[in-house]
PDB file of all heavy atoms in Angstrom:
ATOM      1  N   VAL A   1     119.580 115.467 144.152  1.00 89.00           N
ATOM      2  CA  VAL A   1     120.937 115.318 143.618  1.00 89.00           C
ATOM      3  C   VAL A   1     120.963 114.033 142.806  1.00 89.00           C
ATOM      4  O   VAL A   1     120.855 112.942 143.354  1.00 89.00           O
ATOM      5  CB  VAL A   1     121.993 115.249 144.742  1.00 89.00           C
ATOM      6  CG1 VAL A   1     123.384 115.087 144.146  1.00 89.00           C
ATOM      7  CG2 VAL A   1     121.934 116.481 145.625  1.00 89.00           C
ATOM      8  N   GLY A   2     121.062 114.158 141.491  1.00 89.00           N
ATOM      9  CA  GLY A   2     121.126 112.994 140.617  1.00 89.00           C
ATOM     10  C   GLY A   2     122.532 112.846 140.077  1.00 89.00           C
ATOM     11  O   GLY A   2     123.028 113.740 139.388  1.00 89.00           O
ATOM     12  N   VAL A   3     123.185 111.738 140.410  1.00 90.00           N
ATOM     13  CA  VAL A   3     124.568 111.502 139.988  1.00 90.00           C
ATOM     14  C   VAL A   3     124.585 110.357 138.983  1.00 90.00           C
ATOM     15  O   VAL A   3     124.284 109.217 139.342  1.00 90.00           O
ATOM     16  CB  VAL A   3     125.480 111.163 141.184  1.00 90.00           C
ATOM     17  CG1 VAL A   3     126.929 111.006 140.717  1.00 90.00           C
ATOM     18  CG2 VAL A   3     125.377 112.228 142.263  1.00 90.00           C
ATOM     19  N   ALA A   4     124.916 110.669 137.746  1.00 86.00           N
ATOM     20  CA  ALA A   4     124.984 109.648 136.706  1.00 86.00           C
ATOM     21  C   ALA A   4     126.420 109.163 136.557  1.00 86.00           C
ATOM     22  O   ALA A   4     127.369 109.937 136.708  1.00 86.00           O
ATOM     23  CB  ALA A   4     124.486 110.204 135.375  1.00 86.00           C
ATOM     24  N   MET A   5     126.549 107.866 136.286  1.00 82.00           N
ATOM     25  CA  MET A   5     127.864 107.305 136.017  1.00 82.00           C
ATOM     26  C   MET A   5     128.272 107.637 134.586  1.00 82.00           C
ATOM     27  O   MET A   5     127.464 107.561 133.665  1.00 82.00           O
ATOM     28  CB  MET A   5     127.857 105.788 136.201  1.00 82.00           C
ATOM     29  CG  MET A   5     127.400 105.301 137.577  1.00 82.00           C
ATOM     30  SD  MET A   5     128.507 105.783 138.930  1.00 82.00           S
ATOM     31  CE  MET A   5     127.577 107.148 139.670  1.00 82.00           C
ATOM     32  N   ASN A   6     129.531 107.997 134.397  1.00 77.00           N
ATOM     33  CA  ASN A   6     130.013 108.316 133.055  1.00 77.00           C
ATOM     34  C   ASN A   6     129.946 107.112 132.126  1.00 77.00           C
ATOM     35  O   ASN A   6     129.889 107.255 130.908  1.00 77.00           O
ATOM     36  CB  ASN A   6     131.451 108.835 133.128  1.00 77.00           C
ATOM     37  CG  ASN A   6     131.931 109.404 131.806  1.00 77.00           C
ATOM     38  OD1 ASN A   6     131.194 110.103 131.117  1.00 77.00           O
ATOM     39  ND2 ASN A   6     133.160 109.098 131.445  1.00 77.00           N
ATOM     40  N   THR A   7     129.950 105.899 132.712  1.00 71.00           N
ATOM     41  CA  THR A   7     129.837 104.688 131.897  1.00 71.00           C
ATOM     42  C   THR A   7     128.412 104.445 131.430  1.00 71.00           C
ATOM     43  O   THR A   7     128.171 103.545 130.634  1.00 71.00           O
ATOM     44  CB  THR A   7     130.291 103.460 132.708  1.00 71.00           C
ATOM     45  OG1 THR A   7     129.511 103.384 133.904  1.00 71.00           O
ATOM     46  CG2 THR A   7     131.754 103.547 133.071  1.00 71.00           C
ATOM     47  N   GLY A   8     127.467 105.213 131.942  1.00 72.00           N
ATOM     48  CA  GLY A   8     126.065 104.960 131.665  1.00 72.00           C
ATOM     49  C   GLY A   8     125.594 105.513 130.340  1.00 72.00           C
ATOM     50  O   GLY A   8     126.365 106.011 129.523  1.00 72.00           O
ATOM     51  N   THR A   9     124.286 105.461 130.161  1.00 72.00           N
ATOM     52  CA  THR A   9     123.686 105.901 128.906  1.00 72.00           C
ATOM     53  C   THR A   9     123.598 107.418 128.844  1.00 72.00           C
ATOM     54  O   THR A   9     123.654 108.113 129.859  1.00 72.00           O
ATOM     55  CB  THR A   9     122.281 105.313 128.754  1.00 72.00           C
ATOM     56  OG1 THR A   9     121.464 105.780 129.847  1.00 72.00           O
ATOM     57  CG2 THR A   9     122.308 103.800 128.778  1.00 72.00           C
ATOM     58  N   SER A  10     123.445 107.927 127.625  1.00 72.00           N
ATOM     59  CA  SER A  10     123.306 109.373 127.439  1.00 72.00           C
ATOM     60  C   SER A  10     122.080 109.898 128.165  1.00 72.00           C
ATOM     61  O   SER A  10     122.097 111.008 128.717  1.00 72.00           O
ATOM     62  CB  SER A  10     123.221 109.705 125.954  1.00 72.00           C
ATOM     63  OG  SER A  10     124.391 109.302 125.274  1.00 72.00           O
ATOM     64  N   ALA A  11     120.996 109.117 128.183  1.00 73.00           N
ATOM     65  CA  ALA A  11     119.767 109.562 128.846  1.00 73.00           C
ATOM     66  C   ALA A  11     120.000 109.777 130.334  1.00 73.00           C
ATOM     67  O   ALA A  11     119.499 110.751 130.919  1.00 73.00           O
ATOM     68  CB  ALA A  11     118.663 108.520 128.636  1.00 73.00           C
ATOM     69  N   ALA A  12     120.753 108.891 130.958  1.00 79.00           N
ATOM     70  CA  ALA A  12     121.034 109.035 132.387  1.00 79.00           C
ATOM     71  C   ALA A  12     121.859 110.286 132.647  1.00 79.00           C
ATOM     72  O   ALA A  12     121.587 111.045 133.586  1.00 79.00           O
ATOM     73  CB  ALA A  12     121.762 107.796 132.910  1.00 79.00           C
ATOM     74  N   LYS A  13     122.870 110.534 131.811  1.00 80.00           N
ATOM     75  CA  LYS A  13     123.734 111.702 132.021  1.00 80.00           C
ATOM     76  C   LYS A  13     122.991 113.009 131.760  1.00 80.00           C
ATOM     77  O   LYS A  13     123.266 114.028 132.404  1.00 80.00           O
ATOM     78  CB  LYS A  13     124.976 111.592 131.136  1.00 80.00           C
ATOM     79  CG  LYS A  13     125.924 110.481 131.589  1.00 80.00           C
ATOM     80  CD  LYS A  13     127.286 110.566 130.927  1.00 80.00           C
ATOM     81  CE  LYS A  13     127.262 110.085 129.511  1.00 80.00           C
ATOM     82  NZ  LYS A  13     128.625 110.004 128.926  1.00 80.00           N
ATOM     83  N   GLU A  14     122.053 112.995 130.822  1.00 79.00           N
ATOM     84  CA  GLU A  14     121.274 114.202 130.546  1.00 79.00           C
ATOM     85  C   GLU A  14     120.308 114.507 131.689  1.00 79.00           C
ATOM     86  O   GLU A  14     120.048 115.667 132.006  1.00 79.00           O
ATOM     87  CB  GLU A  14     120.500 114.034 129.240  1.00 79.00           C
ATOM     88  CG  GLU A  14     121.363 114.028 127.986  1.00 79.00           C
ATOM     89  CD  GLU A  14     121.979 115.379 127.706  1.00 79.00           C
ATOM     90  OE1 GLU A  14     121.457 116.397 128.207  1.00 79.00           O
ATOM     91  OE2 GLU A  14     123.001 115.429 126.999  1.00 79.00           O
ATOM     92  N   ALA A  15     119.766 113.482 132.316  1.00 83.00           N
ATOM     93  CA  ALA A  15     118.772 113.686 133.375  1.00 83.00           C
ATOM     94  C   ALA A  15     119.404 114.117 134.686  1.00 83.00           C
ATOM     95  O   ALA A  15     118.771 114.813 135.481  1.00 83.00           O
ATOM     96  CB  ALA A  15     117.972 112.397 133.597  1.00 83.00           C
ATOM     97  N   ALA A  16     120.647 113.720 134.935  1.00 86.00           N
ATOM     98  CA  ALA A  16     121.293 113.993 136.217  1.00 86.00           C
ATOM     99  C   ALA A  16     121.805 115.431 136.271  1.00 86.00           C
ATOM    100  O   ALA A  16     121.962 116.092 135.244  1.00 86.00           O
ATOM    101  CB  ALA A  16     122.441 113.017 136.429  1.00 86.00           C
ATOM    102  N   ASN A  17     122.051 115.910 137.495  1.00 85.00           N
ATOM    103  CA  ASN A  17     122.690 117.221 137.631  1.00 85.00           C
ATOM    104  C   ASN A  17     124.150 117.105 138.054  1.00 85.00           C
ATOM    105  O   ASN A  17     124.801 118.098 138.340  1.00 85.00           O
ATOM    106  CB  ASN A  17     121.922 118.138 138.602  1.00 85.00           C
ATOM    107  CG  ASN A  17     121.582 117.450 139.909  1.00 85.00           C
ATOM    108  OD1 ASN A  17     122.286 116.542 140.357  1.00 85.00           O
ATOM    109  ND2 ASN A  17     120.490 117.886 140.533  1.00 85.00           N
ATOM    110  N   MET A  18     124.656 115.879 138.101  1.00 88.00           N
ATOM    111  CA  MET A  18     126.084 115.624 138.294  1.00 88.00           C
ATOM    112  C   MET A  18     126.459 114.394 137.482  1.00 88.00           C
ATOM    113  O   MET A  18     125.649 113.489 137.304  1.00 88.00           O
ATOM    114  CB  MET A  18     126.433 115.382 139.763  1.00 88.00           C
ATOM    115  CG  MET A  18     126.302 116.581 140.671  1.00 88.00           C
ATOM    116  SD  MET A  18     126.968 116.232 142.317  1.00 88.00           S
ATOM    117  CE  MET A  18     126.481 117.733 143.182  1.00 88.00           C
ATOM    118  N   VAL A  19     127.702 114.363 137.008  1.00 86.00           N
ATOM    119  CA  VAL A  19     128.229 113.199 136.301  1.00 86.00           C
ATOM    120  C   VAL A  19     129.558 112.819 136.937  1.00 86.00           C
ATOM    121  O   VAL A  19     130.452 113.660 137.074  1.00 86.00           O
ATOM    122  CB  VAL A  19     128.437 113.485 134.796  1.00 86.00           C
ATOM    123  CG1 VAL A  19     129.057 112.270 134.107  1.00 86.00           C
ATOM    124  CG2 VAL A  19     127.121 113.853 134.133  1.00 86.00           C
ATOM    125  N   ASP A  20     129.666 111.557 137.351  1.00 86.00           N
ATOM    126  CA  ASP A  20     130.897 111.049 137.942  1.00 86.00           C
ATOM    127  C   ASP A  20     131.730 110.397 136.843  1.00 86.00           C
ATOM    128  O   ASP A  20     131.361 109.358 136.314  1.00 86.00           O
ATOM    129  CB  ASP A  20     130.575 110.039 139.055  1.00 86.00           C
ATOM    130  CG  ASP A  20     131.824 109.373 139.607  1.00 86.00           C
ATOM    131  OD1 ASP A  20     132.910 109.956 139.429  1.00 86.00           O
ATOM    132  OD2 ASP A  20     131.704 108.301 140.218  1.00 86.00           O
ATOM    133  N   LEU A  21     132.845 111.031 136.502  1.00 80.00           N
ATOM    134  CA  LEU A  21     133.673 110.533 135.415  1.00 80.00           C
ATOM    135  C   LEU A  21     134.342 109.209 135.759  1.00 80.00           C
ATOM    136  O   LEU A  21     134.734 108.459 134.872  1.00 80.00           O
ATOM    137  CB  LEU A  21     134.745 111.571 135.053  1.00 80.00           C
ATOM    138  CG  LEU A  21     134.224 112.936 134.604  1.00 80.00           C
ATOM    139  CD1 LEU A  21     135.378 113.857 134.273  1.00 80.00           C
ATOM    140  CD2 LEU A  21     133.293 112.806 133.419  1.00 80.00           C
ATOM    141  N   ASP A  22     134.497 108.922 137.050  1.00 79.00           N
ATOM    142  CA  ASP A  22     135.122 107.662 137.465  1.00 79.00           C
ATOM    143  C   ASP A  22     134.116 106.520 137.546  1.00 79.00           C
ATOM    144  O   ASP A  22     134.513 105.372 137.757  1.00 79.00           O
ATOM    145  CB  ASP A  22     135.790 107.817 138.835  1.00 79.00           C
ATOM    146  CG  ASP A  22     137.032 108.691 138.775  1.00 79.00           C
ATOM    147  OD1 ASP A  22     137.617 108.774 137.689  1.00 79.00           O
ATOM    148  OD2 ASP A  22     137.401 109.282 139.798  1.00 79.00           O
ATOM    149  N   SER A  23     132.817 106.838 137.448  1.00 76.00           N
ATOM    150  CA  SER A  23     131.759 105.823 137.555  1.00 76.00           C
ATOM    151  C   SER A  23     131.885 105.019 138.841  1.00 76.00           C
ATOM    152  O   SER A  23     131.762 103.794 138.849  1.00 76.00           O
ATOM    153  CB  SER A  23     131.785 104.889 136.328  1.00 76.00           C
ATOM    154  OG  SER A  23     131.578 105.629 135.149  1.00 76.00           O
ATOM    155  N   ASP A  24     132.137 105.718 139.922  1.00 77.00           N
ATOM    156  CA  ASP A  24     132.267 105.096 141.237  1.00 77.00           C
ATOM    157  C   ASP A  24     131.110 105.591 142.100  1.00 77.00           C
ATOM    158  O   ASP A  24     131.123 106.737 142.544  1.00 77.00           O
ATOM    159  CB  ASP A  24     133.607 105.477 141.873  1.00 77.00           C
ATOM    160  CG  ASP A  24     133.754 104.949 143.291  1.00 77.00           C
ATOM    161  OD1 ASP A  24     132.907 104.141 143.713  1.00 77.00           O
ATOM    162  OD2 ASP A  24     134.723 105.348 143.972  1.00 77.00           O
TER     163      ASP A  24
END
């Protein structure tokens, strides 16, 4: 389970299988 922060880089969001829009 890879959770990327929405504040992060595009590479992190592309690699993860979840994105937290609140970056918490």
Side-chain angles (χ1 to χ4, degrees):
V1 180
V3 183
M5 303 295 103
N6 190 41
T7 57
T9 61
S10 299
K13 290 193 284 187
E14 290 291 339
N17 48 28
M18 292 188 187
V19 177
D20 174 21
L21 300 180
D22 290 335
S23 300
D24 175 10

